[in-house]
């Protein structure tokens, strides 16, 4: 059972914006840095955002991350059909002394 | 470009040991800032952190799995491995290996990338 809560699904039309929330607690999101991953079933998950808001090279600036208190947010602007995937947040939990992932959010492009 | 590839049996019998190997190419497993980790995804469920290890020997395991899991590194082969003992049907999952960045400053930096494609391991008699 994940300690990080995400909405099960979000959707929007092509070109629009979606945001995905990741709600945790002071021992995980509140105290540590958050990463975001994109996972197309059957393929390798891809790192989208690290350290709350940094993008690895090759990740378009349509993807952005932010954090406030015990919640983090991933925003995807200019939504494309290729963005249809599952998205997960991840961080470290200082109390559990282990990494943790969010429950996952399915993005659907209408 | 760093690449990771999982390998191992696709079917394991209940109560036996699940063993997987991750081969790293395009870079050295002995990089100082990186750990090497395993993540799994049961069918229809989300990602679960299994554990990670630094080539110098330090390891972290998910407390819920710690009693049954061992991660090891073979720097001579540029590989790392996962063993899960006493498996049950609940251990059926796609298992991913990945490079983990881990550091501590005003908080813990913790992210995985790149990842392997994943391998489905079924536990069944």
């Amino acid at each position: 059972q994940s300690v990080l809560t995400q909405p099960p699904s979000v959707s929007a039309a092509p070109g629009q914006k979606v945001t995905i929330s990741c709600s945790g607690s002071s021992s995980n999101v509140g105290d540590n840095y958050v990463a975001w991953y994109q996972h197309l079933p059957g393929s390798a998950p891809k790192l989208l955002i690290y350290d709350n808001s940094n993008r690895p090279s090759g990740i378009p600036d349509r993807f952005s991350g932010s954090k406030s208190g015990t919640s983090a947010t991933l925003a995807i602007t200019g939504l494309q059909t290729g963005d249809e995937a599952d998205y997960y947040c991840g961080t470290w939990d200082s109390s559990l002394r282990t990494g943790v992932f969010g429950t996952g959010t399915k993005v659907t492009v209408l | 470009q760093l690449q990771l590839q999982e390998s191992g049996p696709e079917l394991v019998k209940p109560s036996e040991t699940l063993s997987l190997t991750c081969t790293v190419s395009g870079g050295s497993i002995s990089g100082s800032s990186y750990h090497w980790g395993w993540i799994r995804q049961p069918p229809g469920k989300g990602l679960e952190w299994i554990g990670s290890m630094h080539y110098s020997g330090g390891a972290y395991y998910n407390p819920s799995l710690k009693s049954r899991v061992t991660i090891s590194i073979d720097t001579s082969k540029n590989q790392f491995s996962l063993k899960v003992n006493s498996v049950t049907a609940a251990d059926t999952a796609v298992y991913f290996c990945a490079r983990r960045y881990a550091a501590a400053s005003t908080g813990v930096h913790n992210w995985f990338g790149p990842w392997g494609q994943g391998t489905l391991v079924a536990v069944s008699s």
Side-chain angles (χ1 to χ4, degrees):
Chain A
Q1 188 170 349
S2 177
V3 299
L4 305 180
T5 302
Q6 299 178 230
S9 64
V10 297
S11 61
Q16 297 300 303
K17 174 182 178 180
V18 295
T19 59
I20 301 169
S21 59
C22 174
S23 179
S25 67
S26 59
S27 66
N28 43 65
V29 176
D31 271 355
N32 300 306
Y33 295 88
V34 176
W36 288 93
Y37 305 91
Q38 179 190 61
H39 185 208
L40 282 74
S43 65
K46 180 193 294 185
L47 177 67
L48 288 179
I49 299 288
Y50 67 96
D51 290 352
N52 301 334
S53 59
N54 294 324
R55 284 185 308 275
S57 60
I59 301 300
D61 59 7
R62 301 187 299 105
F63 295 92
S64 63
S66 62
K67 191 184 94 167
S68 178
T70 59
S71 290
T73 301
L74 173 71
I76 310 173
T77 59
L79 202 61
Q80 301 176 1
T81 55
D83 297 332
E84 283 204 333
D86 297 321
Y87 292 81
Y88 294 89
C89 60
T91 187
W92 182 258
D93 192 296
S94 302
S95 293
L96 298 175
R97 292 182 60 78
T98 185
V100 290
F101 289 103
T103 49
T105 298
K106 182 175 182 60
V107 169
T108 300
V109 181
L110 301 173
Chain B
Q1 182 181 355
L2 193 73
Q3 293 184 316
L4 294 85
Q5 180 65 58
E6 306 87 352
S7 60
E10 297 176 353
L11 181 64
V12 182
K13 290 183 168 55
S15 80
E16 295 189 347
T17 297
L18 180 159
S19 297
L20 295 174
T21 297
C22 183
T23 300
V24 179
S25 58
S28 173
I29 206 167
S30 303
S32 60
S33 295
Y34 294 107
H35 292 223
W36 303 90
W38 292 93
I39 305 99
R40 70 182 184 180
Q41 183 177 34
K45 297 187 178 181
L47 301 174
E48 180 179 28
W49 210 91
I50 298 174
S52 71
M53 186 173 192
H54 190 260
Y55 81 96
S56 65
Y60 289 94
Y61 297 111
N62 186 327
S64 69
L65 297 170
K66 187 174 183 177
S67 64
R68 299 192 296 125
V69 169
T70 303
I71 295 174
S72 59
I73 292 180
D74 187 337
T75 55
S76 67
K77 295 182 179 179
N78 226 36
Q79 294 176 333
F80 62 105
S81 300
L82 170 72
K83 291 188 186 299
V84 183
N85 300 324
S86 305
V87 298
T88 69
D91 295 308
T92 294
V94 175
Y95 286 77
F96 298 98
C97 62
R99 183 184 67 175
R100 176 189 172 223
Y101 180 80
S105 57
T106 53
V108 173
H109 303 262
N110 172 69
W111 46 262
F112 287 101
W115 296 54
Q117 286 284 112
T119 185
L120 175 61
V121 180
V123 178
S124 175
S125 55

